[in-house]
Amino acid sequence: MNSFISYLISGISLGSIYALIALGYTMVYGIAKMLNFAHGDVIMVGGYAVFLSISSLNCPVWLSIIIGIVVCTVLGVVIERVAYKPLRNASSLSVLITAIGVSYLLQNLALNILGSNARTFKSVVSLKTIEINSQLKISGEAVVTIIVTVVIMVALTLFINKTKAGMAMQAVSEDKGAAQLMGINVNKTISIVFAIGSGLAAVAGILLCSTFTQVSPYTGSMPGIKAFIAAVFGGIGSIPGAMIGGILLGIIENLSKAYISTQVADAIVFASLIIVLILKPTGLLGKKINEKV
């Protein structure tokens, strides 16, 4: 029983990281109607920014975390302005191809500048492992990851529903043209969305690297794909859906590794998505939208 609880908590912790990344996906898609597949590589940039701040600049942990978040936030805005803004009225296929191109650009820049070898990442979490009894131990990283994810989701929900910028995001999501006629700066609003999403990617990257204690140019690749699955799983465009989808995915993956096989765990994750989409094509909390033609 203790082993099951331990695996479950580890799964919730891993799922919380997926949820943080998925929140970025779901915000960008829900408001800008874009699939930003470069999002996973922004996670990697966040991990490296913190790693280099600590190891090369000798910055304290708190300052390194801030640097990582700022770097990713600025990177997100730059990517949106340079790569996506010119394609605002282009087809979704053009945007998708551009996103894949940006992803490979970031990955190859990291490979050429920093090398392909993984670096040891010292955890930024100072909370010690919690021992409930001799068999049940919960890592400090797991506790901090779960708490941070819940706080961010609540704060993000309040921001979108209670602030002027959040209301503008909802209006842009509903109808860009009508929002612009009402005096909303659509370009600025979309830039804010990318900034927030990339900032969340930085937080996810820091927690991911702290949990697995390493960072490499490929750090964000698979977590980025799984987070996208989590966003679709929960209903892409839904913030609570991204949270639920991420946590469920983390639990499924961790329990599959523990009780079935580490080799087929990823296959089970992808199969779970297929089953959910067959039963509910819009995802767990997704809403069906009727379009008039």
Side-chain angles (χ1 to χ4, degrees):
M1 186 62 185
N2 286 332
S3 297
F4 175 78
I5 294 172
S6 179
Y7 293 138
L8 184 64
I9 292 170
S10 296
I12 294 171
S13 173
L14 178 62
S16 296
I17 294 172
Y18 291 156
L20 277 176
I21 306 167
L23 284 172
Y25 274 119
T26 208
M27 278 189 69
V28 170
Y29 180 81
I31 294 164
K33 297 296 182 288
M34 294 179 183
L35 289 175
N36 180 23
F37 279 114
H39 195 63
D41 296 282
V42 176
I43 299 165
M44 172 268 295
V45 172
Y48 268 120
V50 173
F51 170 78
L52 294 173
S53 297
I54 294 172
S55 63
S56 300
L57 303 178
N58 295 317
C59 295
V61 170
W62 65 269
L63 180 58
S64 298
I65 293 171
I66 292 173
I67 290 171
I69 293 171
V70 170
V71 166
C72 287
T73 301
V74 172
L75 178 63
V77 173
V78 170
I79 288 172
E80 191 277 326
R81 290 286 176 89
V82 174
Y84 299 139
K85 188 178 177 181
L87 301 174
R88 194 81 81 222
N89 298 315
S91 67
S92 56
L93 181 61
S94 299
V95 177
L96 180 62
I97 292 170
T98 302
I100 294 170
V102 173
S103 173
Y104 278 107
L105 173 66
L106 292 175
Q107 196 174 104
N108 280 278
L109 282 174
L111 281 167
N112 283 285
I113 295 170
L114 300 163
S116 59
N117 294 331
R119 310 286 184 92
T120 301
F121 189 99
K122 187 179 178 182
S123 176
V124 300
V125 177
S126 57
L127 183 67
K128 294 182 179 178
T129 299
I130 299 171
E131 291 190 31
I132 296 174
N133 55 48
S134 59
Q135 293 182 324
L136 182 57
K137 298 178 182 180
I138 305 170
S139 70
E141 286 80 11
V143 174
V144 170
T145 299
I146 294 167
I147 292 172
V148 167
T149 303
V150 171
V151 169
I152 286 176
M153 195 207 75
V154 172
L156 198 57
T157 302
L158 291 173
F159 173 79
I160 288 175
N161 293 323
K162 301 294 182 182
T163 65
K164 188 176 179 180
M167 297 292 186
M169 289 178 186
Q170 292 184 58
V172 172
S173 175
E174 288 293 326
D175 191 323
K176 288 188 183 72
Q180 199 160 15
L181 290 173
M182 295 298 290
I184 295 171
N185 189 328
V186 173
N187 289 328
K188 182 181 177 181
T189 302
I190 292 175
S191 291
I192 292 171
V193 171
F194 270 84
I196 293 172
S198 298
L200 293 177
V203 175
I206 294 164
L207 293 171
L208 180 70
C209 294
S210 294
T211 301
F212 296 102
T213 63
Q214 67 174 21
V215 60
S216 79
Y218 305 106
T219 291
S221 298
M222 187 54 74
I225 293 170
K226 289 179 180 176
F228 175 68
I229 292 171
V232 177
F233 196 98
I236 195 161
S238 167
I239 289 175
M243 178 80 174
I244 293 169
I247 290 174
L248 284 176
L249 213 65
I251 292 171
I252 291 168
E253 181 180 338
N254 226 45
L255 293 181
S256 298
K257 286 179 178 177
Y259 294 107
I260 302 174
S261 169
T262 55
Q263 295 179 336
V264 300
D266 287 347
I268 292 170
V269 166
F270 285 99
S272 301
L273 173 67
I274 294 169
I275 292 167
V276 168
L277 292 181
I278 289 171
L279 298 175
K280 199 172 189 300
T282 56
L284 296 176
L285 299 184
K287 296 178 181 178
K288 187 177 180 180
I289 300 172
N290 294 318
E291 293 186 2
K292 294 180 180 180
V293 292

